[in-house]
Amino acid sequence: MRYSSNTNLFYFFILITLSIVTSCSQRTPMDLNKGNIIPKPRSINATGSSFVLNAETQIYVDNAETQNFNSQYLSKEINKLVGLRLENISGKNTPESGAIILSVAVNDSQLGDEGYQLSITEDLINLTANGPQGVFRGIQTLLQLLPASLQEKVEIATGTIIDSPEYGYRGSMLDVARHFFDVSSIKRYIDFLVYYKMNVLHLHLTDDQGWRIEIKSWPKLAEYGGLTEVGGGKGGFISQREYIEIVKYAAERYILIIPEIDMPGHTQAALASYPELTCEGQARMVASIEEMSIEFPGLYTGTEVGFSTLCTDQEMTYKIINDVIQELAAITPGPYIHIGGDESHSTKKEDYIYFMERAQAIVTSHGKKSLGWDEIAQTNLEQGTVVQFWDSEENVAIAVSKGAQLLMSPAKKAYLDMQYDSTSRIGLHWAAYIEVDDGYNWDPSIYVPNVPKESIFGIEAPLWAETTEDMDDIEYLAFPRLPGYAEIGWTPLSDRNWDDYKVRLAAHGERFRAMEIDYYPSDRVPWKTD
Ligand code: ACM
C-alpha cells in the first residue's frame, strides 16, 4: 500500500513535469489572417502556428545607428501593451531563435521607403525593410498582432506579411487655432497617426480666433493674437522651442509636420495684433459684434468665417508675411508650408490672386513649396504647389488643367469635425453627417470625376476645432473614423470593403479602451463587448 502510493506519487510528478514542459513548447494554432490589422496589408500568408513572446525574447537590430529609435520604441510599446521588458541588442551575430530581428538589409524596390516584410515563424520574428522608416511602419503591424492588454501567455500568429502603401501622403490636420491644443495634446494626436501608419500632421496654426505660433520678429502675433479662443476661454500658443520639439517627436516617428499660416482671410487674430496689416489701420469688426472679445480689443471668439482680410495692396503686409514664413521655414525641415487661401470672402478676387501669388513666391524664396486650399487653383501656381481639395470640384478641374497635384480632403467625406449624426454631442454638419461607414466608403482616385490617378497626391482628414474643447472631444471625433482614412490612404481600393473593415475595426475597440481613447461607439460597427 505504502509502496504503491509512492509509485503513484512518482508517476503523478512525472505527468505534471511532462505537461509543464509540453505546454511551454506547445504552440497554439493561430491564423495570421485574423490579426485584424488596420490598414489592411497588401498580402498575408498565414502558416497556422504561433511565436511565443516572453521575457527572454530579445530585440535585435542590424544597424544600431539608424535603428536605435525603432528598437527602443518597440520595447517600450510592448511593455505598455503586455508588460514584458525585452532586452535590446545589436552586433554581428544575428540570433537564430527567440528574437525579434529588425533589419534594414534588404534592397527591394517594390517596398519603397515605407514598405516592409514581416516574417513570423515559431522561432523568430524577422522584420525587414529598405530603411528604418519601413521597419517603423512594420513595427505598427507587429504591435497590432499582440494582445491589447496584459495576458499570461503572449502569442503571435505565424506567417508572412508583405506590405507597402498606395499613397505617399496619408495625413490628418489638427486645428489648434479655434481652440488651443498644447504640445502634449499634439504629441498624443501624433501617436494616433503613427499607430495607423499615417505620415503627415498638418497643423492649422492661425485663424480668426487665434495665432498659435511664436514669431520672434512680430511677437504680438502670438502674445496678443493667441490670448483667447472660440467661446472666449484662455488661448495659448506654441513657442518655437516647443514647435521644434513637436517636429522632432514627429520625425522620429516618420511623421512630417506641415505648418499652416492661413491667409489672406481667416486673419482676425493677426489684424488685431498688428493694425499695420489692415488697410484701415485697425482690425474691422465685421463679425457679429457679441462675439468680439470685450477683454481683448479686436480678438474674435465666435465661429463665423469670411469677414477678415489682410490688406493686399501695401508692402507692409508682405514684409510681415515674409518674416513669418522665413522664421517658420527655418524650423520646419519638411518641404511644405501651407498658406491657406480658403474662404477669403472679404478679399476682392483680383486682390486675392495677387496676394496668393506673392505668398507662394515668398514660400519659394525660403526654399519651400506651397500647399493651399482649393481656391488657390484660381491663381498662377508656382512649380510644385499642391492644391488641397475640400469643397469645389470646379477648382479641382482648374488645378488638374494646370498640372497641379491634388491632396484629397473632401469635406463631405473626410472632415473629422463633421458630426456622425444629428445626435453627436459635438461637431458641425454644414458639409454632411459622416457616419463611420460613410467616412470609409469613398476613394481619392475616383471621388471627383475626370481626375487622373497620377494627379492624386494623397489623402488628408482635417479636424477643425470650433467645437472641440479638450482631448476627449478630439478623440470622440477622430475615433473611430481616423483608422478608416488611414486605410483609404494605405490600401488599394480593390482590396477594401466595409464589411471586412468593420469587423477589423470592431476588434480595435479593445485597443482604443486600452489607450484610453474616448471613441464614439457607432452602432454600424459590431463592437465586441467584454
Ligand atoms: C475650409 O474648410 N475652410 C478649408
Side-chain angles (χ1 to χ4, degrees):
M1 185 70 184
R2 182 188 273 185
Y3 172 82
S4 97
S5 98
N6 273 349
T7 312
N8 280 348
L9 213 58
F10 174 74
Y11 284 121
F12 176 74
F13 277 117
I14 291 281
L15 209 68
I16 291 288
T17 312
L18 266 176
S19 75
I20 288 172
V21 168
T22 48
S23 84
C24 283
S25 59
Q26 209 167 46
R27 311 288 168 164
T28 310
M30 287 177 81
D31 184 355
L32 190 59
N33 284 307
K34 303 224 170 88
N36 295 314
I37 300 160
I38 298 176
K40 187 176 181 179
R42 242 169 231 269
S43 88
I44 299 180
N45 178 19
T47 52
S49 187
S50 61
F51 174 94
V52 179
L53 196 75
N54 58 37
E56 274 76 55
T57 309
Q58 294 177 315
I59 301 175
Y60 170 85
V61 290
D62 61 350
N63 183 330
E65 204 178 313
T66 62
Q67 294 247 67
N68 183 43
F69 181 83
N70 280 344
S71 178
Q72 301 292 335
Y73 173 91
L74 178 59
S75 60
K76 265 190 221 136
E77 292 300 311
I78 287 176
N79 183 251
K80 269 197 246 164
L81 276 171
V82 295
L84 291 169
R85 285 189 187 282
L86 306 192
E87 191 191 354
N88 299 90
I89 57 163
S90 63
K92 286 222 159 48
N93 302 323
T94 313
E96 278 168 16
S97 68
I100 301 170
I101 298 173
L102 309 180
S103 156
V104 289
V106 298
N107 188 359
D108 180 343
S109 62
Q110 302 244 316
L111 294 181
D113 289 339
E114 294 189 278
Y116 63 91
Q117 178 167 331
L118 176 62
S119 153
I120 304 163
T121 66
E122 290 185 352
D123 300 321
L124 214 54
I125 295 181
N126 234 311
L127 174 54
T128 59
N130 288 324
Q133 184 177 4
V135 171
F136 188 73
R137 303 289 176 232
I139 283 174
Q140 305 311 320
T141 297
L142 181 56
L143 292 171
Q144 289 191 13
L145 292 170
L146 292 171
S149 57
L150 289 180
Q151 311 272 318
E152 239 169 70
K153 195 172 177 194
V154 180
E155 288 173 293
I156 304 173
T158 57
T160 299
I161 294 175
I162 299 174
D163 202 8
S164 60
E166 181 74 352
Y167 291 105
Y169 186 120
R170 307 173 307 281
S172 181
M173 185 207 80
L174 190 60
D175 169 10
V176 297
R178 267 49 178 276
H179 282 96
F180 176 60
F181 289 91
D182 64 7
V183 176
S184 64
S185 305
I186 295 170
K187 284 184 178 172
R188 181 160 164 84
Y189 200 71
I190 289 172
D191 290 343
F192 298 156
L193 305 187
V194 161
Y195 196 61
Y196 290 102
K197 301 191 182 81
M198 285 181 143
N199 61 3
V200 181
L201 175 63
H202 161 187
L203 285 173
H204 183 75
L205 291 168
T206 67
D207 214 301
D208 290 315
Q209 299 84 352
W211 184 287
R212 308 297 179 201
I213 178 76
E214 175 191 21
I215 301 295
K216 292 182 199 261
S217 52
W218 299 95
K220 282 193 285 176
L221 284 170
E223 285 169 12
Y224 188 75
L227 279 171
T228 186
E229 60 180 10
V230 167
K234 185 173 175 301
F237 66 89
I238 299 161
S239 68
Q240 291 199 5
R241 188 186 49 73
E242 289 173 320
Y243 179 84
I244 290 166
E245 182 186 327
I246 291 165
V247 166
K248 177 170 181 286
Y249 184 87
E252 285 168 340
R253 291 157 179 78
Y254 303 96
I255 300 274
L256 184 72
I257 296 290
I258 298 184
E260 178 183 351
I261 303 294
D262 202 351
M263 51 195 165
H266 289 278
T267 43
Q268 186 70 15
L271 302 174
S273 308
Y274 285 104
E276 297 91 314
L277 285 164
T278 67
C279 292
E280 298 82 6
Q282 63 175 55
R284 279 177 293 169
M285 299 194 189
V286 289
S288 91
I289 202 83
E290 314 79 77
E291 292 179 322
M292 302 306 296
S293 169
I294 298 166
E295 215 177 343
F296 307 114
L299 292 185
Y300 180 61
T301 61
T303 59
E304 285 173 43
V305 296
F307 59 88
S308 57
T309 182
L310 299 173
C311 187
T312 58
D313 58 6
Q314 61 176 11
E315 278 313 300
M316 191 62 184
T317 300
Y318 300 98
K319 159 130 190 64
I320 297 180
I321 295 307
N322 180 67
D323 291 344
V324 168
I325 300 296
Q326 180 170 19
E327 286 193 35
L328 204 50
I331 53 174
T332 301
Y336 291 100
I337 304 278
H338 201 303
I339 51 175
D342 57 320
E343 299 175 309
S344 284
H345 305 317
S346 301
T347 323
K348 283 201 209 99
K349 183 156 182 189
E350 65 268 29
D351 295 345
Y352 172 84
I353 291 172
Y354 175 74
F355 176 86
M356 289 308 282
E357 289 177 358
R358 283 197 68 176
Q360 287 177 72
I362 289 171
V363 169
T364 305
S365 76
H366 295 294
K368 302 292 180 189
K369 290 184 222 167
S370 298
L371 247 155
W373 297 105
D374 64 50
E375 291 92 327
I376 200 175
Q378 295 161 14
T379 73
N380 275 319
L381 299 175
E382 293 254 326
Q383 181 74 23
T385 294
V386 175
V387 174
Q388 183 166 14
F389 168 57
W390 67 282
D391 176 46
S392 162
E393 296 192 12
E394 222 174 292
N395 285 337
V396 167
I398 299 170
V400 170
S401 74
K402 292 181 176 175
Q405 290 278 289
L406 282 163
L407 178 56
M408 300 302 282
S409 304
K412 291 187 174 82
K413 287 289 187 185
Y415 267 26
L416 280 165
D417 59 308
M418 290 298 114
Q419 292 176 298
Y420 296 94
D421 63 23
S422 62
T423 68
S424 297
R425 66 174 179 82
I426 48 169
L428 305 173
H429 59 263
W430 58 264
Y433 290 113
I434 307 179
E435 246 298 352
V436 186
D437 52 342
D438 302 322
Y440 181 81
N441 281 324
W442 67 284
D443 195 81
S445 64
I446 52 174
Y447 184 78
V448 182
N450 305 320
V451 175
K453 180 123 191 269
E454 311 80 73
S455 300
I456 308 286
F457 193 55
I459 171 176
E460 184 179 289
L463 206 173
W464 299 98
E466 282 96 332
T467 67
T468 53
E469 293 180 12
D470 56 29
M471 204 57 204
D472 281 351
D473 290 348
I474 296 271
E475 290 167 13
Y476 171 83
L477 291 174
F479 285 90
R481 289 181 290 200
L482 188 76
Y485 300 119
E487 179 150 306
I488 292 173
W490 184 280
T491 309
L493 176 60
S494 54
D495 284 353
R496 301 198 287 113
N497 80 75
W498 167 252
D499 285 334
D500 162 67
Y501 174 71
K502 73 179 179 192
V503 175
R504 285 180 287 123
L505 182 60
H508 281 239
E510 199 189 349
R511 287 170 194 275
F512 301 158
R513 293 191 286 278
M515 291 161 80
E516 296 184 355
I517 293 173
D518 187 28
Y519 67 101
Y520 161 65
S522 166
D523 62 10
R524 311 233 173 144
V525 180
W527 305 106
K528 295 187 182 76
T529 43
D530 297 330

